Amino acid sequence: MTVDLMWGVTMAGTVALVLGGGGARGLAHIHALKAFDDLGVRPTIVAGTSIGAILGACYCAGMSGAEIEDYALTRFEDRTQLIADAFKVRPDSFKSFLQDGGMRVGEFNLETVLSVFLPDRVPARFEDLPLPLVAVATEYHAAADAVLTSGDLRKAIAASAAIPAVFLPVAINGRYCIDGGATNPVPVNVVADQADHILAVDVSGGPVGNGGTRPTKVDAVSAFMQMMQMTMARQMSEAHDRSVLLRPGVNQFKTLDFLKVTEILTRTAPFRETVKAQLEEMLGNA
């Protein structure tokens, strides 16, 4: 395939990339980013919800998929450094990061968390990104999408990823926002007129186990929410005939399983080839 390496342009058309919300499961998005890099293809625009907005911001800032992967591994594999970083976020509760074998953060200010954990290459404002990004949050009182494309970048992605009961709602232009997954977990619609094709990635987590196992209350509640998000994502993609929705194998992981970064990346590694094959099909049939 012949490729022109200008942003978003190939000999066969343009592609918008949409990265869905799903907490730690969203680390699998890194394989999609690496697939784009493998083929020398750049999306014309990136849209993201929650973890998709965070990783999208890193990619739009000019980091490669491999660089984002290295950064994530460095951040979450080194427990000593993780505790030191947690001190910077809230000294009196850093131990909660490692409770019960997973990251348990209470109700944190996500803007503060991102100020510590985001790579330095992520700029302060949308306008300074080399590649356009759309971050989608949920405007709480309106129960509607908040589509964010300009201004304070870190505040916007904090709003997009503000999981209720885990992170505090974030004020944007005087209105409080929570995690965008409440209304639009895979925001295909916000880039529908921005490219010839849309490649969307859903990292919701569905039920695990065999059909003969009764789910626990906790598992049932968690799966209930995730199944709703999967349904929303599927319906959103089906409503836009130029979009393709892909799902890596992330069902076994929980939203806050960031300390399992190596396992998540290892188990979902085949997704990189899945995305490459889909991109080649898209661009070959434009």
Side-chain angles (χ1 to χ4, degrees):
M1 179 178 62
T2 302
V3 176
D4 179 344
L5 293 180
M6 292 179 3
W7 285 111
V9 178
T10 73
M11 295 302 291
T14 58
V15 181
L17 174 62
V18 180
L19 304 175
R25 293 185 297 271
L27 291 166
H29 286 319
I30 291 171
H31 297 304
L33 302 177
K34 292 172 75 173
F36 273 82
D37 294 342
D38 288 344
L39 296 179
V41 176
R42 294 293 182 265
T44 190
I45 191 169
V46 177
T49 291
S50 198
I51 187 67
I54 293 172
L55 294 180
C58 295
Y59 195 66
C60 291
M63 296 179 71
S64 68
E67 288 172 329
I68 295 170
E69 180 179 53
D70 289 343
Y71 187 85
L73 288 168
T74 299
R75 274 301 195 184
F76 293 109
E77 279 194 327
D78 187 337
R79 301 294 181 93
T80 301
Q81 185 60 49
L82 184 62
I83 291 173
D85 290 336
F87 259 121
K88 301 173 187 177
V89 176
R90 184 186 287 177
D92 63 350
S93 61
F94 76 96
K95 291 181 181 178
S96 65
F97 269 73
L98 302 178
Q99 287 178 354
D100 300 329
M103 183 174 282
R104 303 286 295 276
V105 294
E107 199 171 36
F108 270 56
N109 182 324
L110 187 50
E111 291 179 74
T112 302
V113 174
L114 291 177
S115 72
V116 173
F117 283 92
L118 272 183
D120 292 338
R121 288 175 63 179
V122 177
R125 299 183 64 79
F126 279 92
E127 290 80 3
D128 295 323
L129 291 169
L131 178 65
L133 173 72
V134 182
V136 176
T138 296
E139 187 178 329
Y140 177 76
H141 289 96
D145 291 356
V147 179
L148 308 170
T149 60
S150 63
D152 190 325
L153 176 59
R154 296 189 180 195
K155 182 180 287 289
I157 59 178
S160 180
I163 302 170
V166 178
F167 299 112
L168 294 167
V170 177
I172 301 283
N173 298 323
R175 307 287 290 182
Y176 282 99
C177 294
I178 61 172
D179 192 293
T183 53
N184 202 347
V186 186
V188 169
N189 60 310
V190 302
V191 295
D193 60 351
Q194 301 294 311
D196 299 314
H197 305 281
I198 304 168
L199 193 153
V201 181
D202 176 23
V203 288
S204 304
V208 295
N210 62 64
T213 302
R214 183 189 298 274
T216 66
K217 288 188 292 185
V218 172
D219 288 342
V221 170
S222 175
F224 172 75
M225 300 299 294
Q226 294 303 314
M227 284 188 279
M228 286 197 298
Q229 290 198 344
M230 281 192 286
T231 299
M232 292 164 66
R234 184 176 65 253
Q235 291 176 340
M236 175 66 74
S237 179
E238 290 173 350
H240 296 85
D241 59 9
R242 290 179 293 108
S243 73
V244 173
L245 182 68
L246 301 178
R247 294 195 76 248
V250 292
N251 286 354
Q252 67 269 43
F253 300 108
K254 297 179 181 179
T255 300
L256 299 179
D257 275 346
F258 287 96
L259 295 180
K260 296 182 179 180
V261 55
T262 299
E263 183 181 355
I264 292 171
L265 289 170
T266 300
R267 290 199 176 210
T268 58
F271 188 59
R272 181 176 179 177
E273 294 303 318
T274 300
V275 175
K276 284 169 65 174
Q278 184 59 59
L279 279 171
E280 288 175 328
E281 180 179 343
M282 280 180 167
L283 298 177
N285 293 335

